Amino acid sequence: MFHAKSLGKLAAPLSSRAYASVASAPVVSTANGIKVAAVSGAPDSPLASVSLVINAGSRHETGEFAGAAHYLKAFGFRNTQTRTSFRTIREAELNGATLTAEATRENITYTVQCFKEAVPYFVEVLGDIAAATKFTEHEFKEVARLVAFESLSARSDANARVLDGVHQAAFRGGLGNSLYALESSPVSSGDAVRRYAEAALAPGRLAVVATGVDAQELASLVSSSRLASLTSSSSTLSTSAASFAGGVQQIYESASPISHYALAFASESASAKPLAALLGAQSRVKWSTGVAPLAKLAATEGFGVSPFSFSYSDAGLVGVVVSAPRSQIKSAVEKVAGSIQRDVASAGAEAVQRAAAAARVDMAEELATQQGQIRALASVALGQKAGVTLESIDEAATKLSNDASKVFKSKPVAVSIGLSQDTPYVDTLGF
């Protein structure tokens, strides 16, 4: 059997091993100010990825453009002045490439996964997206149907709804803006999406990042693409700093027999992931509930507890979603809140060590994936260093005990889905 001292000796060499980190990836600026970052990856791998990242996620939307980021994401890889969407898709398939688009609260990312020799061609494709998308009205109708379906799917997902509500209650505007274009969105034409894109497409808001490619070579490709034609000196999008307002949101739902209740706490960006690991609401060992108090409580009482964390350029959120039958949700939330205040806010040295190790493993696993590297490179290139590297996790772990005491004793945001009569008020939970 391993003892704590033995585990401490085991952890020492792990922390000194040389992990390939995107934190040290060189960031190159093109002549017009677009940031370029890349990691070469395994030399024997024939695969690469290249992404266009626009700092124009939903946090940057105003009332005029509510939902525009969702529409802009969906307009990726469609008709441009030099390529039809049919041509782009056909040539991607002939090259065995995969095209994806993602919208977060901070960025919109268009990614191509392909063979290394196809990277120059797809840099041109990404340049066309930024500088030459047509935003035609007949395409808008197709895009609007896709956006409506994605929004409806999100509203049908209790976890997505409650986490969207957490952001709205915590930040109100900015980071509180929904990821999805709602039915009430004023965006009703391709021209409206084009105006949002034009407001965002300043070189200072753009990055091109890649895996399996040399950074200098990538910068040369970007400089010879349509991206070089973007010369706007500044973006007209205005983004205010995130401010944790706090609040409560009740989402009425009478049809489902299961209710959901989220408790979310403000944290520093880099400490959000380690703090979520400290909550320890889910076991990391198969066929075991683990030793964390919240995991044992959920298993004993028969309800669900899922931790979550979000790291942004200037804010962090960490918390749990409690799921239980309507008749049990109030009791479940009260027990979880008590455990957070009693067991997590005052966690001992061994619990802190477990959490730091878990957060580090999770980060290492994420950075071992192509998507994780893309997100981390984008964060570094755009100066959004939001706790996305092993180095930032290690630094946050050194003050995890103090952060837990501060964060988990503060008043949380509360968001519930269910009947208001069944859920507790946050000011009765003892925070």
Side-chain angles (χ1 to χ4, degrees), residues 276-288:
L278 186 62
L279 285 167
Q282 292 179 321
S283 173
R284 302 175 71 88
V285 181
K286 192 174 183 179
W287 312 123
S288 169

Side-chain angles (χ1 to χ4, degrees), residues 261-265 279 293-294 297-298 301 303-305 319-322 329-346 407-414 424-431:
Y261 196 104
L263 292 170
F265 304 82
L279 285 167
L294 273 182
L297 175 65
E301 299 291 335
F303 55 77
V305 182
V320 294
V321 177
V322 182
I329 189 68
K330 182 176 182 180
S331 173
V333 171
E334 290 172 345
K335 289 175 180 177
V336 168
S339 181
I340 290 174
Q341 296 168 76
R342 182 180 60 254
D343 303 315
V344 183
S346 304
V407 170
F408 294 126
K409 290 183 179 179
S410 64
K411 187 174 182 179
V413 160
Y425 292 99
V426 69
D427 56 11
T428 67
L429 298 176
F431 291 101

Side-chain angles (χ1 to χ4, degrees), residues 133-359:
T133 297
K134 287 185 174 181
F135 299 107
T136 57
E137 296 306 320
H138 74 273
E139 279 189 298
F140 177 81
K141 294 178 181 179
E142 182 179 336
V143 166
R145 288 193 293 270
L146 173 63
V147 165
F149 173 76
E150 291 178 344
S151 299
L152 181 61
S153 297
R155 288 199 298 273
S156 302
D157 184 328
N159 194 61
R161 287 181 73 190
V162 77
L163 292 179
D164 215 38
V166 160
H167 283 82
Q168 292 166 15
F171 299 111
R172 300 179 184 175
L175 287 174
N177 293 342
S178 177
L179 282 171
Y180 306 99
L182 306 179
E183 294 176 356
S184 58
S185 170
V187 178
S188 58
S189 66
D191 183 65
V193 184
R194 177 189 57 78
R195 286 187 284 112
Y196 182 75
E198 290 175 348
L201 286 171
R205 285 186 174 271
L206 299 181
V208 177
V209 301
T211 63
V213 181
D214 177 75
Q216 292 292 343
E217 180 183 348
L218 180 62
S220 176
L221 292 172
V222 171
S223 296
S224 60
S225 72
R226 275 184 176 266
L227 289 166
S229 68
L230 297 174
T231 58
S232 174
S233 59
S234 62
S235 167
T236 58
L237 291 186
S238 177
T239 305
S240 57
S243 176
F244 188 83
V248 176
Q249 186 175 120
Q250 170 70 43
I251 302 173
Y252 184 81
E253 175 61 73
S254 61
S256 174
I258 302 295
S259 293
H260 309 272
Y261 196 104
L263 292 170
F265 304 82
S267 73
E268 293 182 2
S269 178
S271 64
K273 187 180 288 289
L275 285 170
L278 186 62
L279 285 167
Q282 292 179 321
S283 173
R284 302 175 71 88
V285 181
K286 192 174 183 179
W287 312 123
S288 169
T289 59
V291 297
L294 273 182
K296 293 170 70 175
L297 175 65
T300 301
E301 299 291 335
F303 55 77
V305 182
S306 302
F308 62 83
S309 66
F310 296 94
S311 295
Y312 299 107
S313 56
D314 55 354
L317 270 182
V318 59
V320 294
V321 177
V322 182
S323 301
R326 282 165 41 182
S327 61
Q328 301 176 25
I329 189 68
K330 182 176 182 180
S331 173
V333 171
E334 290 172 345
K335 289 175 180 177
V336 168
S339 181
I340 290 174
Q341 296 168 76
R342 182 180 60 254
D343 303 315
V344 183
S346 304
E350 186 174 320
V352 169
Q353 182 181 340
R354 285 199 308 268

